[in-house]
Amino acid sequence: MAGWRVLDVGESVAVSFCTRLLADLGAEVVMVEPPSGHVLRAAEPRTAAGVSARFVYLSAGKRSVIRPVGEGILELAAAADLLVTDLAPARLDPLATRIPDTAVVSVRPFGATGPSSGHQAHHLTLFHASGEGSTLPSGLGWQRFPDRAPIQLGSELGYFDAGWNAAIAALAACWDASRRPAARTAAGGRERVSAQRVDVSVQESLLTLNRTRLNRFLNDGILVGRERSRYPVGGMQRCQDGWIQAVGLRDEHWDRLLATPQGAEFRAAGFDTAQARAADVAGLQKALTAWCEARPKHEAARLLAAVGAPAGIFAEPTDLLEDEQLAHRDFFRDVGVDDGDGGHLRIPGAPYRFSASALPVRPAPRLGSSTGFESRESRESRESRGSHLPAQSNRPGDGRLLDGVRVLDFTWAAAGPYATLLLGFLGAEIIKVESTRRPDLARYGFLARYDTLEASPIFNELNLNKRSLRLDLTQPDALALARRLAGEVDVVVDNFRPGVMARLGLGAEVLLDLNPRLVVASSSANGSTGPLATGAGLASIFSATGGLSVQSGHPDGPPTDVGDPVDYRSGAALAVGILAALLDRDRTGRGQHLDLSSREVVIASAPDAVLAHVAGVPWRQRRGNGHHTMTPHGVHPCRPTAGEDGWLALAVGDEAQWSALCAVLGRDDWPTALPTPAARRAAADEIDEAIRAWTHPRTAAEAAASLQAAGVPAEPVMTFADLATDPHLAAREAFVEVDHPVLGRQRVLRPPWHFSAGGRGGTGGGEVRPGPVLGADTETILVRYTDREVAQ
């Protein structure tokens, strides 16, 4: 993004993380601060010198200017290519009308429109208003505490999720700006083409990551909630010094393990044959539990991984900072901090590597250390680079966003298809390569098992707007066709284990020789280089090895098993990397290879425990629904509705919200008696008891409405059934129906952003097509990109 100017006007983690991502990618980011400094400069965790490690992480590589928001930033906003902000519409709209050539990405808790757009919100209430909270904790955490409230994921992950989605929107808006002239000739006159205005919803950014669970309700009528471990053998296992995750253990794994000295315990227990193991699954699980408990976590995970079993540790901060794979990839970076003593902090870097573009991590700025932008490249010079753009990209009409970008998609399962789903929502043409020999796992389903290759609503959900090209890549003619197509498209993407594409003759070096302007994108669990590059790529494993799981759960309980939504978090990061590489190609005319690590995406998106460790701060990793400073901050029982438990998420972040809550509870004495967060933490049990007494006779919806009317952030813990009928999502047109040729009418979820030109996403003006029948577009694609004889 060299040469792009980004103005950061916001207080939220979502905006700050979005612009940190853009700064990593080379954009010049200027953040606007008040004289007292950005609110995140005081965020925990903080070093002994009072430096916020979270601010250092989120603001790395930016410039700082002191300006009042309003007229004071008009000149900066007009000079910027992109404004990223969380300003309320009443403050943003007057500014946006005065900067028509600056793209604007607005990140709001519930979006800029709709019945809930004005709701007060904190991470806890947003997370529980988005579906995923209703499923947590599952596995051991729920088995131990089935009567406790649902929980949020740690490290305020939802804000980072929104930051990834905002970055996708920002990069797409920049791509759109680079392909449009400042004015377009139309009907004999000059018609101004304004830059994009993008509305990003934090709630929908979380909901889109749970689209397959939501789909189960929308199209199968099955409500996914908290559940026991889905693994009859394996799953979370306690070791001497922590936990491991082991999933998908098959007979070949057991046979290899039993052939080693470390497998003697299973032989002695009579589990030396597949028949014996199948006859006593419970006994096998008990034997595996004892085997793990007798070993350190690193040893247990290493032994299982050595026989090919998908396994990994539940990583603590020290595990991450000392990890040889992360060290090999130079993931953690030392940056200087403004502590008056020349100090440094070690912070996460970017989770992707580009073959032709370095991604240095620079320090966070001193307050007011800059006066504005330094980049001199003009918009006009970028808009004139037509020679590097796809041939279709300058056509008028609906030619906005990624219209004209062609993607050859070798991905399967979840993370990769989600990335290309997002690109398809932005208007790219997605050509999905698949075969009946090794069909996409999603065609059989994840949370369910479907009988035929065309019976999976989940596959349909993840592959909207795509075309299916049937190629058996074990056949030489098919491989030759794949290479020929790679020479015609803009992007080739896969999410196989490292080495698979190279063995097929489709490695990055080969493809870039065929097409030097190609973006070759690869996604895997640990990245394509390093000693653990070929490790298993399952979401529940890299959520554990990436440190998210140990930050999520009840304080007195085990870590939380986090599943398929983490795949989609990785897919969003992959989409960011692809869009950035396309912008770089626009500037330089060269393609390159993008190598993403899903584990590194998790670390980058859930950094708090690592930041606390490097800052030297005592830190409780698992807080349930608690917060390190806010009180009250929790989930409380309400009156059941329709036979289902009701829960209310409530969080108080300042004195005005505290006073408003006290008025609702009828405790007018508390604002005086408990005026500070520290005083409220000391009285937390008494406060929570009063809240429970108030919520218990009310439904969650009634309680939330009363509290929001008083100015208190509160939301029901929404299930996927609740979200399917939510008036706010309906008003924002979050859902759309598509007619699938086999499944019939299907209700699916749109993306979490809305563009002023390009709408909610889809082809043309926003149409959304169903996922393809396998091979349905083969002849059309081959005729278009080759010739009829080759197609036959």
Tab-separated table of all heavy atoms in Angstrom, residues 30 41 58 182 360 459 526 547 612 640 647 789:
chain	number	residue	atom	x	y	z
A	30	VAL	N	-2.102	8.161	9.542
A	30	VAL	CA	-2.057	9.253	10.512
A	30	VAL	C	-3.246	9.101	11.447
A	30	VAL	O	-4.392	9.039	10.998
A	30	VAL	CB	-2.096	10.626	9.819
A	30	VAL	CG1	-2.266	11.744	10.847
A	30	VAL	CG2	-0.833	10.845	9.002
A	41	ARG	N	-4.120	4.772	24.819
A	41	ARG	CA	-2.840	4.977	25.496
A	41	ARG	C	-2.921	4.608	26.982
A	41	ARG	O	-1.889	4.373	27.622
A	41	ARG	CB	-2.377	6.424	25.346
A	41	ARG	CG	-1.875	6.777	23.945
A	41	ARG	CD	-1.270	8.173	23.890
A	41	ARG	NE	-0.847	8.540	22.548
A	41	ARG	CZ	0.366	8.302	22.047
A	41	ARG	NH1	1.271	7.690	22.793
A	41	ARG	NH2	0.668	8.680	20.816
A	58	LEU	N	-1.385	-1.836	18.726
A	58	LEU	CA	-2.399	-1.387	17.779
A	58	LEU	C	-1.963	-0.153	16.988
A	58	LEU	O	-2.543	0.122	15.924
A	58	LEU	CB	-3.700	-1.073	18.523
A	58	LEU	CG	-4.438	-2.282	19.085
A	58	LEU	CD1	-5.600	-1.833	19.969
A	58	LEU	CD2	-4.934	-3.195	17.979
A	182	ALA	N	-11.064	10.456	-11.884
A	182	ALA	CA	-11.619	11.467	-10.989
A	182	ALA	C	-12.956	11.968	-11.507
A	182	ALA	O	-13.831	12.346	-10.743
A	182	ALA	CB	-10.646	12.634	-10.834
A	360	PRO	N	7.913	-4.459	7.383
A	360	PRO	CA	8.555	-4.065	8.643
A	360	PRO	C	7.523	-3.623	9.669
A	360	PRO	O	6.452	-3.136	9.317
A	360	PRO	CB	9.444	-2.889	8.222
A	360	PRO	CG	8.774	-2.324	7.010
A	360	PRO	CD	8.151	-3.493	6.300
A	459	PHE	N	-22.117	-26.089	2.055
A	459	PHE	CA	-21.314	-25.824	0.860
A	459	PHE	C	-21.897	-24.661	0.077
A	459	PHE	O	-21.163	-23.779	-0.393
A	459	PHE	CB	-21.250	-27.065	-0.028
A	459	PHE	CG	-20.496	-26.829	-1.317
A	459	PHE	CD1	-19.123	-26.963	-1.361
A	459	PHE	CD2	-21.161	-26.425	-2.475
A	459	PHE	CE1	-18.424	-26.710	-2.540
A	459	PHE	CE2	-20.477	-26.167	-3.645
A	459	PHE	CZ	-19.096	-26.313	-3.678
A	526	ASN	N	0.483	-23.325	9.720
A	526	ASN	CA	1.674	-22.711	10.296
A	526	ASN	C	2.500	-21.933	9.284
A	526	ASN	O	3.598	-21.479	9.608
A	526	ASN	CB	2.552	-23.787	10.937
A	526	ASN	CG	1.847	-24.504	12.074
A	526	ASN	OD1	1.287	-23.871	12.959
A	526	ASN	ND2	1.852	-25.826	12.045
A	547	GLY	N	-3.022	-19.631	21.027
A	547	GLY	CA	-3.191	-18.951	22.305
A	547	GLY	C	-4.563	-18.371	22.571
A	547	GLY	O	-4.767	-17.749	23.616
A	612	ALA	N	0.570	-8.780	27.806
A	612	ALA	CA	0.721	-8.675	29.261
A	612	ALA	C	2.029	-9.318	29.711
A	612	ALA	O	2.734	-8.798	30.589
A	612	ALA	CB	-0.470	-9.321	29.959
A	640	PRO	N	-37.102	-17.467	31.201
A	640	PRO	CA	-37.055	-18.228	29.945
A	640	PRO	C	-38.177	-17.812	29.001
A	640	PRO	O	-39.243	-17.362	29.430
A	640	PRO	CB	-37.217	-19.683	30.400
A	640	PRO	CG	-36.825	-19.686	31.843
A	640	PRO	CD	-37.249	-18.349	32.375
A	647	TRP	N	-30.650	-15.161	28.789
A	647	TRP	CA	-29.462	-14.581	29.409
A	647	TRP	C	-29.285	-13.156	28.900
A	647	TRP	O	-29.533	-12.864	27.729
A	647	TRP	CB	-28.210	-15.389	29.072
A	647	TRP	CG	-28.229	-16.809	29.548
A	647	TRP	CD1	-28.616	-17.913	28.833
A	647	TRP	CD2	-27.846	-17.297	30.836
A	647	TRP	NE1	-28.483	-19.046	29.593
A	647	TRP	CE2	-28.006	-18.690	30.830
A	647	TRP	CE3	-27.369	-16.668	31.999
A	647	TRP	CZ2	-27.723	-19.482	31.942
A	647	TRP	CZ3	-27.067	-17.460	33.108
A	647	TRP	CH2	-27.245	-18.843	33.072
A	789	GLU	N	-12.016	-26.502	-28.908
A	789	GLU	CA	-11.361	-27.800	-29.084
A	789	GLU	C	-10.727	-28.272	-27.777
A	789	GLU	O	-10.867	-29.431	-27.388
A	789	GLU	CB	-10.290	-27.676	-30.170
A	789	GLU	CG	-9.577	-29.000	-30.448
A	789	GLU	CD	-8.538	-28.858	-31.546
A	789	GLU	OE1	-8.512	-27.808	-32.229
A	789	GLU	OE2	-7.759	-29.813	-31.710
